[in-house]
Amino acid sequence: MKNDSSPPDTTKIINISSGASVIDLKNQCCQALFLNSKQVRLWTYSNSGEKLLNEHAKTLEDAKIVNEQTILIEKQQPDGKWRQTVKEPVKQSNVHRRGLCGLDNLGNTCFMNSAIQCLSNTAPLCNYFLNNSYKEDINKNNPLGMKGYMAETFGKLIKHMWSGQHSSYQPKSFKQIIGKYAPQFTGYSQHDAHELLSFLLDGLHEDLNKISNKPYIETKSADGRPETEVAKESWETHLARNKSKIVDLFHGQLKSTLVCPDCKKVSITFDSNMYLSLPIPISNNVDVEITIFKLQDKKRPSKYGVSIPKTSTIQKLKEVLGKICKIPVENLCLAQLDMTTHSISSVLKDDDIYSHVINRDPIAGYEIPNEPGYKALKVVQKSCDREYFGIPYIIFWKPKMTTKKQLYEMVWNNTKCYLRESSSSTSYDEIQNNESEYPFKLQIRGKCGICSEKGCTGCPIKPSEKLFKFSLPSGTIIVQWQSKKYVKDKTKFCVVTTHNSP
């Protein structure tokens, strides 16, 4: 149970009977959280989405509330409105395409649903159950089986899915049978789909096995006989103990060859199997996308994609990028971006291992001057609505040489490429014809390196011929836009030119 106004990790556990009503659950939840029951609504909360519990007379079982179900409690706002929007159900016909039937999630049972869907769409097995041929083969006396319950319940489930009467169906009875004979699948937690599928096929096979008394047959060695003869003999031995529709459709043979390293004797056997597990190869490489900002480039930044080993250092990544972008490695700086604040979060060190320092945040590369004496300033953009946007970049200035107006020109040169190609081309022309004014103002962000006043969080910078002075080793400048017409579409400031990977 979660309160929508509580911290994300705040939950409470409620123990209640499945025969209790929805209103009983609501009252108990409100009592536990000291809430007014007239000012809250209950929602079921799962991976498949949220659903409003507004039929208070229903029992929890009828409302499909399962064990360990997450319930979201929504509080009414002071103005009487609700945060969550109730979606109107789409009216559909009662007739659906046969076989096109989903399975409701009973907690986290998507692993079971995927296995059932695989078998439902195996045509020979599906037809076997739909035409009731399985009923003649049910073996309730097989000590290795489940007294026919698995086959009967699966048959009913397949018929529901192919009846054309359901867009989705709740496999509750089938889930109970699985939990009864396989305690590891009890509850509604996530499990391995392949493990469930193996258990399901084994259970169906034993429930449908026509061999009641399995004879003991001793395995014979090949003794130099032809492989075809040995394989046929092994298969006949297997069929003497196993005979079902599952065997016909899913069982096969694997050839195993062993060679003694000492005497070089070769032993060949043929083993029956129902499935073959194949490992998915894991690539040792990682694909990296990096946005590159070049000096003296009036075009938009470019995005490059490269593939490098996971154990590569940042230095190695820079070497690969340098060849593609035609930037010397010593003039390339890589940084990690925080697109929630549209700022540069950290500069990457050359000896860092890529897989150790990179998370899901994007990376940008900046060409830096090869001349000594330059200092760097990080640049972020802020709209009239006081929201940060766009891709952060870096400008380089020289102490005792760069004026405040030149600082504005640097920012303008990095920005106008977006305005030129945006929908507000007239705005761009207006700025070009009025070079004495800029559509933005610059301000230091955070600790100020201009004035000496304590507690200053950033002085404004006015465009003038005065030298720009900044005492700190590095800092950040805010580009505060003054008019909405220049940034009508802020997504334009995140557009880059994409290059094909080499």
Side-chain angles (χ1 to χ4, degrees):
M1 178 182 65
K2 295 183 178 181
N3 187 336
D4 69 344
S5 62
S6 301
D9 59 345
T10 300
T11 59
K12 285 187 178 293
I13 298 176
I14 296 294
N15 295 314
I16 190 170
S17 169
S18 60
S21 65
V22 173
I23 191 65
D24 293 334
L25 173 64
K26 181 179 179 180
N27 292 334
Q28 192 167 337
C29 291
C30 291
Q31 184 179 359
L33 294 172
F34 305 100
L35 299 173
N36 186 345
S37 62
K38 296 181 180 180
Q39 298 177 344
V40 300
R41 297 193 301 186
L42 301 188
W43 298 72
T44 57
Y45 184 83
S46 65
N47 294 335
S48 57
E50 299 87 28
K51 181 181 178 182
L52 179 64
L53 293 173
N54 55 358
E55 298 181 78
H56 293 164
K58 272 190 173 183
T59 65
L60 300 186
E61 183 175 6
D62 292 337
K64 299 181 181 180
I65 305 296
V66 299
N67 188 31
E68 300 180 6
Q69 175 77 59
T70 300
I71 301 294
L72 176 68
I73 300 179
E74 179 190 11
K75 292 179 62 178
Q76 193 174 29
Q77 299 185 82
D79 59 1
K81 296 181 180 180
W82 301 94
R83 296 181 184 179
Q84 299 282 94
T85 302
V86 181
K87 297 181 179 179
E88 293 294 333
V90 180
K91 294 183 178 181
Q92 296 179 343
S93 170
N94 292 329
V95 180
H96 304 274
R97 182 179 173 184
R98 297 181 70 245
L100 192 62
C101 177
L103 294 171
D104 295 341
N105 227 0
L106 307 175
N108 291 315
T109 56
C110 51
F111 73 97
M112 179 186 75
N113 295 348
S114 61
I116 295 173
Q117 291 287 9
C118 287
L119 296 182
S120 173
N121 287 277
T122 303
L125 180 67
C126 180
N127 293 333
Y128 173 72
F129 280 94
L130 289 177
N131 60 26
N132 291 326
S133 298
Y134 74 97
K135 290 187 176 182
E136 301 175 0
D137 298 334
I138 290 179
N139 184 352
K140 296 183 177 181
N141 299 319
N142 186 357
L144 299 178
M146 303 175 194
K147 303 185 186 306
Y149 291 128
M150 174 67 77
E152 289 176 347
T153 309
F154 182 77
K156 291 178 182 178
L157 175 59
I158 292 295
K159 289 175 181 177
H160 279 298
M161 294 176 67
W162 286 82
S163 64
Q165 301 299 313
H166 308 281
S167 62
S168 65
Y169 185 77
Q170 189 179 47
K172 189 173 181 179
S173 299
F174 188 70
K175 174 69 175 64
Q176 291 174 346
I177 290 295
I178 291 177
K180 179 180 179 180
Y181 290 97
Q184 67 269 30
F185 297 115
T186 303
Y188 299 92
S189 301
Q190 187 67 262
H191 293 279
D192 182 66
H194 175 258
E195 183 181 354
L196 185 279
L197 183 60
S198 300
F199 165 77
L200 179 55
L201 287 175
D202 278 331
L204 290 175
H205 161 62
E206 295 298 349
D207 269 5
L208 300 170
N209 196 351
K210 298 178 181 179
I211 307 298
S212 298
N213 299 315
K214 298 185 178 183
Y216 172 75
I217 302 175
E218 186 176 353
T219 304
K220 299 179 181 179
S221 59
D223 291 334
R225 291 181 295 163
E227 292 184 4
T228 53
E229 180 181 338
V230 178
K232 182 179 179 182
E233 183 182 83
S234 298
W235 184 245
E236 289 175 349
T237 300
H238 178 68
L239 293 182
R241 297 171 54 85
N242 303 278
K243 190 176 182 181
S244 70
K245 190 67 174 181
I246 305 301
V247 173
D248 296 341
L249 296 177
F250 298 101
H251 286 209
Q253 278 186 319
L254 280 178
K255 176 185 174 182
S256 175
T257 303
L258 295 176
V259 180
C260 178
D262 297 326
C263 65
K264 306 301 179 184
K265 181 180 178 181
V266 179
S267 174
I268 299 176
T269 57
F270 292 87
D271 302 313
S272 60
N273 74 305
M274 186 165 54
Y275 52 85
L276 183 63
S277 298
L278 298 176
I280 299 176
I282 300 175
S283 174
N284 292 323
N285 282 15
V286 59
D287 296 328
V288 185
E289 285 189 348
I290 300 182
T291 302
I292 299 294
F293 291 80
K294 293 185 179 181
L295 290 173
Q296 310 301 329
D297 194 345
K298 297 182 180 181
K299 299 179 181 179
R300 293 182 305 194
S302 300
K303 180 179 286 188
Y304 293 87
V306 296
S307 180
I308 59 171
K310 294 179 180 179
T311 55
S312 296
T313 61
I314 298 299
Q315 174 67 20
K316 180 63 178 178
L317 176 57
K318 288 168 62 175
E319 291 174 1
V320 175
L321 279 170
K323 293 180 181 179
I324 302 173
C325 308
K326 303 187 184 312
I327 299 176
V329 176
E330 58 273 15
N331 293 351
L332 186 59
C333 171
L334 299 186
Q336 199 156 12
L337 307 181
D338 183 356
M339 294 310 292
T340 57
T341 58
H342 296 269
S343 60
I344 297 174
S345 58
S346 63
V347 176
L348 303 178
K349 300 177 181 179
D350 288 348
D351 56 351
D352 286 339
I353 303 298
Y354 174 84
S355 58
H356 293 174
V357 298
I358 299 300
N359 49 34
R360 294 183 179 181
D361 293 330
I363 307 173
Y366 303 93
E367 183 182 6
I368 61 178
N370 52 12
E371 299 177 17
Y374 278 98
K375 285 190 174 183
L377 280 174
K378 292 175 280 189
V379 181
V380 297
Q381 303 191 72
K382 205 172 190 180
S383 69
C384 303
D385 301 326
R386 315 295 292 178
E387 294 180 352
Y388 289 103
F389 68 95
I391 305 176
Y393 56 91
I394 297 176
I395 58 175
F396 300 91
W397 65 285
K398 269 193 174 183
K400 299 181 180 181
M401 292 184 64
T402 303
T403 65
K404 294 181 179 180
K405 186 173 183 180
Q406 287 174 335
L407 207 64
Y408 269 79
E409 284 297 318
M410 293 178 192
V411 172
W412 172 237
N413 288 332
N414 280 277
T415 306
K416 61 185 179 182
C417 60
Y418 297 107
L419 295 178
R420 183 188 297 116
E421 300 185 20
S422 71
S423 58
S424 56
S425 57
T426 55
S427 301
Y428 171 76
D429 295 335
E430 290 175 10
I431 302 171
Q432 288 291 86
N433 296 330
N434 189 11
E435 295 182 358
S436 61
E437 295 182 6
Y438 295 93
F440 54 81
K441 291 183 179 180
L442 301 183
Q443 180 180 346
I444 299 297
R445 179 186 184 186
K447 189 175 181 181
C448 186
I450 297 180
C451 69
S452 57
E453 295 183 13
K454 293 184 178 180
C456 179
T457 57
C459 286
I461 305 170
K462 296 181 180 180
S464 67
E465 298 300 335
K466 292 183 179 181
L467 290 176
F468 174 68
K469 296 179 181 180
F470 194 76
S471 59
L472 300 177
S474 63
T476 302
I477 286 181
I478 299 175
V479 181
Q480 179 65 64
W481 288 86
Q482 301 299 301
S483 175
K484 291 184 178 181
K485 69 179 180 179
Y486 301 118
V487 286
K488 289 181 180 178
D489 186 0
K490 289 179 283 190
T491 59
K492 295 285 185 182
F493 289 77
C494 287
V495 176
V496 298
T497 303
T498 304
H499 291 262
N500 293 328
S501 301

